[in-house]
């Protein structure tokens, strides 16, 4: 009886191991290309919303708040493009950083233009990288001066000390001021959105969060970032990634891997201003 019980236990363990191996093999197989939308490309979307799930206990804006900002501020705050064209906008936050040149090299290899929401103090430090990105056709946006949560703060903080001073830095470094703004952590209130619009700035959030701010720390981080995009991609998505704020080598590798897959799926890459039909990305 003991021998039989031991055999059953060993068999069960082997079966579990085989199941884990099979799951890993399945997870690493390239996923099928997403089908095209059954909705006509020019059809307006009924609403904008975040497709990726929320992770508890991280400094993120609640998804319901982000969805509400887009609904309450049409034409001023955005989560995604307005229709169903086979377009996608790659966006990168928190740079420029030592990882940005490698990312620019990858984008250049595929002739893809992206949108960068950068922190003012980093633009000062890596001014040559900022000028390179602009020269290579990427769109640059404002992401505050030091990356604080600005929601509910006074204007003499969120504008004078954060967004306005970063506009001035962009003016000195690239000779123009962005029209696109992304709040750190996605946290902002509707009064600030309206006030920023008076300053000539559109608020840009996202519909797909790759969560590379977390997955860069994982084993096989590149693979997980790539799969997250493939799982949640949709027409006219605005995809959130990061080129600063931590180790971003896995993000760079994921971008290198996922661009050809998206191109095979028929997606064209555009900057956020192109996606939203904003005629000039700068003031």
């Amino acid at each position: 009886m003991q021998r039989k019980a031991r055999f059953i236990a060993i068999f069960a363990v082997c079966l579990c191991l085989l199941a884990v191996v099979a799951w890993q093999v399945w997870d690493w197989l390239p996923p099928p290309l997403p089908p095209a939308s059954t909705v006509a490309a020019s059809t307006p979307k009924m609403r904008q919303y975040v497709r990726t799930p929320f992770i508890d206990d991280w400094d993120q804006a609640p998804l319901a708040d982000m969805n509400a900002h887009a609904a309450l501020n049409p034409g001023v705050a955005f989560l995604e493009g307005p229709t169903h064209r086979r377009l996608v906008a790659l966006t990168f936050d928190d740079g420029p950083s030592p990882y940005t040149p490698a990312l620019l090299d990858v984008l250049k290899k595929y002739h893809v233009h992206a949108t960068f929401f950068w922190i003012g103090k980093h633009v000062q430090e890596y001014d040559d990288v900022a000028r390179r990105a602009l020269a290579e056709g990427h769109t640059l946006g404002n992401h505050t001066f030091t990356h604080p949560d600005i929601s509910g703060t006074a204007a003499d903080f969120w504008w004078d000390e954060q967004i306005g001073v970063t506009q001035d830095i962009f003016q000195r470094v690239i000779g123009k001021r962005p029209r696109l703004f992304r709040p750190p952590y996605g946290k902002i209130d509707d009064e600030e959105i309206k006030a920023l619009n008076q300053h000539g700035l559109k608020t840009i959030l996202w519909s797909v969060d790759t969560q590379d701010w977390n997955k860069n720390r994982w084993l096989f981080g590149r693979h997980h970032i790539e799969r997250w995009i493939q799982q949640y991609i949709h027409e006219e998505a605005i995809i959130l990634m990061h080129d600063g704020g931590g180790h971003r080598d896995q993000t760079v590798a994921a971008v290198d891997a996922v661009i050809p897959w998206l191109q095979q799926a028929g997606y064209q890459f555009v900057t956020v201003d192109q996606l939203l039909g904003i005629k000039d990305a700068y003031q």
Side-chain angles (χ1 to χ4, degrees):
M1 289 295 293
Q2 288 182 346
R3 183 178 297 176
K4 183 177 181 180
R6 188 181 302 114
F7 173 80
I8 292 173
I10 293 172
F11 179 77
V13 170
C14 291
L15 197 62
C16 289
L17 288 173
L18 283 172
V20 170
V21 170
W23 179 82
Q24 287 292 329
V25 169
W26 176 84
D27 185 57
W28 280 83
L29 291 174
L33 297 175
S37 174
T38 57
V39 180
S42 60
T43 304
K45 290 175 179 171
M46 298 301 293
R47 68 187 181 105
Q48 299 189 8
Y49 64 100
V50 183
R51 307 301 203 277
T52 43
F54 184 79
I55 298 180
D56 292 328
D57 301 321
W58 288 85
D59 288 329
Q60 301 168 276
L63 302 188
D65 288 357
M66 295 176 63
N67 295 342
H69 290 324
L72 293 171
N73 300 279
V76 178
F78 302 88
L79 297 171
E80 57 186 281
T83 58
H84 293 80
R85 295 165 296 173
R86 201 75 160 176
L87 303 176
V88 61
L90 302 180
T91 70
F92 301 91
D93 288 9
D94 296 356
S97 80
Y99 296 93
T100 306
L103 177 60
L104 291 173
D105 290 343
V106 169
L107 296 171
K108 187 175 183 179
K109 178 171 73 171
Y110 294 108
H111 307 288
V112 166
H113 292 145
T115 306
F116 292 88
F117 291 97
W118 279 344
I119 296 172
K121 67 176 184 177
H122 297 328
V123 174
Q124 289 183 140
E125 184 178 2
Y126 299 99
D127 56 343
D128 55 333
V129 177
R131 285 188 286 269
R132 174 190 168 182
L134 182 70
E136 293 182 357
H138 304 289
T139 293
L140 308 184
N142 190 318
H143 197 44
T144 73
F145 182 67
T146 58
H147 202 273
D149 175 358
I150 64 166
S151 59
T153 61
D156 60 0
F157 172 73
W158 65 257
W159 179 259
D160 295 345
E161 296 183 23
Q162 292 294 328
I163 303 171
V165 71
T166 300
Q167 291 291 81
D168 293 340
I169 290 168
F170 273 111
Q171 180 66 48
R172 291 196 300 270
V173 172
I174 65 169
K176 54 185 80 175
R177 300 166 185 264
R179 289 187 183 274
L180 305 182
F181 170 73
R182 173 169 285 164
Y185 316 106
K187 292 183 176 180
I188 193 168
D189 60 48
D190 290 314
E191 290 306 311
E192 289 166 342
I193 290 173
K194 292 179 173 62
L196 283 169
N197 190 48
Q198 295 298 313
H199 283 286
L201 286 161
K202 304 295 185 185
T203 298
I204 311 299
L205 299 167
W206 56 81
S207 59
V208 176
D209 178 1
T210 64
Q211 295 174 6
D212 65 335
W213 40 267
N214 182 26
K215 294 176 181 176
N216 261 292
R217 311 173 187 185
W218 295 10
L219 183 65
F220 307 123
R222 185 228 81 184
H223 171 73
H224 294 296
I225 296 166
E226 179 187 2
R227 281 291 180 272
W228 209 245
I229 295 172
Q230 292 166 332
Q231 182 177 352
Y232 292 103
I233 189 62
H234 63 93
E235 277 81 7
E236 300 196 25
I238 296 178
I239 299 178
L240 169 66
M241 288 180 278
H242 296 78
D243 65 314
H247 295 289
R248 301 302 177 211
D249 51 329
Q250 299 295 313
T251 295
V252 174
V255 172
D256 199 1
V258 81
I259 285 177
W261 185 87
L262 288 169
Q263 289 174 330
Q264 280 187 301
Y267 279 94
Q268 296 181 326
F269 295 87
V270 293
T271 57
V272 167
D273 50 301
Q274 292 171 332
L275 180 69
L276 301 178
I278 297 172
K279 293 183 178 180
D280 193 342
Y282 303 98
Q283 297 178 4

